[in-house]
Every structure is written in C-alpha cells, then in structure tokens.
Amino acid sequence: MKKYIWSLFIVSFLVACKEAPKTEETVQEETIVANEPITDEDLENAIIYEANIRQYSDAGTFNEFTKDIPQLKELGVKIIWLMPIFPISEKNRKAKGDLMVEDIEDENERKKYLGSYYAVANYTAINPDLGNEEDLDNLIETAHENGMFVILDWVANHTGWDNNWITEHPEYYTKNEAGEIIHPAGTDWTDTADLNYDNPELREAMTASMKYWVEKHDVDGFRCDVAHEVPTDFWNANNAELETIKPLFMLAESEKKDLFESAFDMGYNWEGHHIMNELAQGKMDVADWDAYMKKIDTTYQEDDILMNFITNHDENSWNGTVTERMGDAQDAMLTFQYVIPGMPLIYSGQEYGMDKRLKFFEKDSIPKTKGRVWEQMEKLGEIKVNNPALHGGKNAADYKRLETQNENVYAIQRSKDGKKVFYIANLSGNPTKMSVTGMNGSFRDLMSGATVNLNEGEATAMSPYAYMLLEPTE
C-alpha cells in the first residue's frame, strides 16, 4: 500500500484443478467482489494483534481463534497478524538450545517438540495442526466482516531443511566452499537453510508464493521476518508486483531505513522498545527517550510508521514477560505505547495479563480470564480508534514534548483536527512532584473519568510510575 491510494477492486480468476488440462470444460470463470482493501486512512487509528494460533487455545486451531475475533474488535484491533501458518520442517527440528529432536531417544519426548514456526516446509501449504484452507478462509472472512484486515507472517530469508525447494531447487540456497547448503551465517538458526537472493529464479519463486496467498485467500498483506537480511531491491520489486493485485499492508521486522522508501509501510520500533525496558528498570531516564525521539525524527521519512510494543513472541519467550521486564512500570508503559507516534501491538495473551513465558518449540496455551489489562486495553483502544489526537499513521497527529522541570517526568501533547491528548508520567521508581509548563485548568482523565485540575504554579504529587492521560474539559 506504500505510496498508493486505492478503492474497491474486482478480481477475476480461474478456478480449475491444477493437474487438469485447461479446456473449456475444466475452466470456469468467476468474478469475485473482494473485501475493500486497506487504505492509508485505516492505518491512522489502527491497532495490530499478533496471533499465535498454536498457543492461542488448547486446540491451537484457526477455528478457536476465529471465535474470538469479535472480542478483539472490542479492543480496537484492526489488523490481525498471523504468525507463520505453514507446515514446519521435521529435519533438523529444534527441541531446546542446541538439542535437535532427532537426537532425543525417547519417542514420547520427541513428539512434544513441534518445531519453530519459522522453519517453513512449504510456502503454499497450511500446517494441518492449525486447520485447513476452509478454516483459514473462514478466519479471514470473519475478520473482514468485523472491519479487520489479516496479514501473514512471511519468512523469506530461509526455509526449513525439508522444504521442497531443497531437493527441487538446491540452486536457491547459500552454499559453503564444499557446495553444502548452510544455515544463516552468524545465527544459531540451525533448523533453517539460508536462501541466496543472487539467484533471479529464487526471487521469481518467492514472489509467486506470496501472490498465491493474496489471490487465493484474499490476505491483506505480510509481516516479513528479518526483512533486513533480504536485499532491499528484492522487496522493492516484489512488493510492487504484489500491489498489482490489490493494495496491501506491509510490515518489516526491521528498522533498516531504506526498506521504507518504497517497499514497506511499517517497521519495528526495536530501539524504542529496548529503551522502554531500560526506563522501566531504572537504567535509563526521560532524557534518553527524548534523545531517541529526536533521532527518529531526522532518520525516518514523514510517512514511515513504527510499531510500538512492550511484548511480542520473541520478547515473551526469550527475554521475559511484561511483568519480568517492566514490573511496576507496566501499566504506564502499556499506555505509553498507545500514545507515542506509531501503531500499538497486542501479542496473544497480553490482553489477559499473561504472566508466563510461552514455550516456543512446544505446545502451550494462553490464559483467557479478562481482568485489569483487558480493561486498560479496552479503554486505550476506544481512545485510539475515536480520537484523532492519537493518530499514528502516515498523517500522524502532532507530537510535542512539554516542559516539566523534572528529569523523571515525561509529558507530551498529541494533537490533530482540534483535538488534544496529554500524557504525563513519572517514569521512575521514586515518588515525585511535577508541574507542566502551560498546563492550566481542568482536564478529564481518559482512563478513570475523573476531573483533574492543574496549575503550573502548583506541584502535583506522582507516585512511582504513575501516569495520567488527559484531555481538556473545554
């Protein structure tokens, strides 16, 4: 969708058995009016949800997730990102650490390791553990009926070791001096085989595989794994080719700047995320965040979008839960990710206050009890969706840092179309007092509904990691 404005489109396609010859008897022409494509306007108030289908329910299926899509609408979710849905390679499948499943002698022990979602065995097939094509189509249709869009997690940098390309097209892969296919250099991703983008036929095959999901299943875009490890010129050509089918939303797992010049709409706010962790742990202060905001203001294009998050599948499984990493600051940081410029991410289970690390290579499940975090997200979602002052897309609301005379207090104003929202937080583990220059009068706390009166000549007490999300009452 980068740089494009589109409207409702009509796709004509042929329905035929792949193995049957194309004759008048076997080819039928059908015209489908597809879901209205995603637009730049949709991104302004969008919230993205990372769906870990395997771990989302006890069954770990598309159908169980689909049941909850209307509930996600209550949180303001507009984009659903499905973690890889493809069959997972069995060869060189990881169990834990450097241990491979094939090295485990006990058969029952081997069976519990399901492998990494990112070791793809077939780019145009569905992992049968999750369901079938009809189940996926039902998920996508349900999302569309609820005004949401669905993007697939795409792993273009590497495949699993029993991907059909290994035997059919070994020339697609990176090889060592002995002519052996290797895993991605500099990583411990030994369960995957590195793809070589110097081969033009690989590029064509990869693009064809991505087109398959847009044309056959009407997906609305892709989240592209380690996008910076794949040449930018591939993404530029590939994504432009995909756009000829319909406008798409393209998310890069990267902060590499040239990816966003023409290929991608949004990237990861990795650096911002790490600073948020450090703020919550008292290892950095507000001045560090201010320096970062100045940095990204000069290094990204005006229409680039960053995805803000306090957790995702990598952070949760490998670096710890929100509570482990952010402790008492977690509520302030959750609101923080909604109010700074960009698009907030919700990871499966986060909405239920999940306080455990999900297993990565094994079956696990998330909690399903609504509580404090769900209520907080529901309020934040309503504000994000309905108040233009929190727009975070290509025409984002203005961001203004406010003066506080306190190095631990972070205060900003977001504004657009005559609307203003203020976020004030004590980003330290100590109680403090603050006064915000220019903020005088009566305000409504958007989270509690309470009236807050501020006078810049009078200091207001704030407990550790306390925050306010305010709008003027007049």
Side-chain angles (χ1 to χ4, degrees), residues 331-378:
D331 289 353
M333 289 302 173
L334 174 58
T335 301
F336 188 97
Q337 77 166 68
Y338 277 75
V339 300
I340 59 176
M343 186 185 299
L345 168 73
I346 302 172
Y347 174 51
S348 292
Q350 181 187 356
E351 69 270 35
Y352 295 106
M354 180 172 66
D355 192 21
K356 70 172 183 176
R357 301 188 186 198
L358 288 173
K359 298 173 183 176
F360 195 82
F361 298 111
E362 302 172 55
K363 180 72 181 80
D364 207 342
S365 61
I366 69 172
K368 286 289 188 69
T369 302
K370 295 178 182 177
R372 176 183 57 80
V373 177
W374 180 282
E375 293 172 1
Q376 185 180 0
M377 283 188 172
E378 196 169 24

Side-chain angles (χ1 to χ4, degrees), residues 25 82 120 129 135 146 217 282 287 301 306 316:
E25 290 75 23
L82 300 179
V120 177
D129 292 344
D135 299 333
N146 282 274
H217 295 285
Q301 301 172 107
L306 290 178
N316 171 266

Side-chain angles (χ1 to χ4, degrees), residues 10-121:
I10 296 178
V11 178
S12 295
F13 70 100
L14 299 179
V15 179
C17 176
K18 290 183 179 179
E19 291 75 24
K22 295 183 179 180
T23 67
E24 291 184 3
E25 290 75 23
T26 58
V27 178
Q28 300 175 10
E29 188 170 342
E30 184 178 353
T31 300
I32 300 287
V33 178
N35 176 64
E36 186 171 355
I38 194 167
T39 67
D40 287 353
E41 186 177 356
D42 289 316
L43 302 184
E44 291 302 328
N45 61 359
I47 296 166
I48 184 168
Y49 185 93
E50 180 184 7
N52 187 336
I53 299 297
R54 178 200 285 175
Q55 315 296 42
Y56 185 82
S57 63
D58 290 339
T61 62
F62 292 133
N63 289 339
E64 288 301 307
F65 175 76
T66 300
K67 292 177 183 177
D68 286 352
I69 286 177
Q71 292 190 75
L72 295 182
K73 189 173 182 178
E74 297 174 13
L75 301 180
V77 172
K78 186 173 286 187
I79 299 171
I80 296 172
W81 147 27
L82 300 179
M83 286 179 66
I85 63 171
F86 317 105
I88 295 171
S89 287
E90 295 185 16
K91 183 178 180 181
N92 294 339
R93 179 175 287 187
K94 274 194 171 187
K96 50 189 173 182
D98 294 328
L99 182 66
M100 296 292 183
V101 174
E102 59 197 47
D103 296 326
I104 299 173
E105 294 184 2
D106 185 86
E107 183 178 354
N108 291 327
E109 179 74 7
R110 287 199 302 269
K111 287 180 178 178
K112 77 177 187 179
Y113 294 107
L114 304 177
S116 168
Y117 320 81
Y118 296 89
V120 177

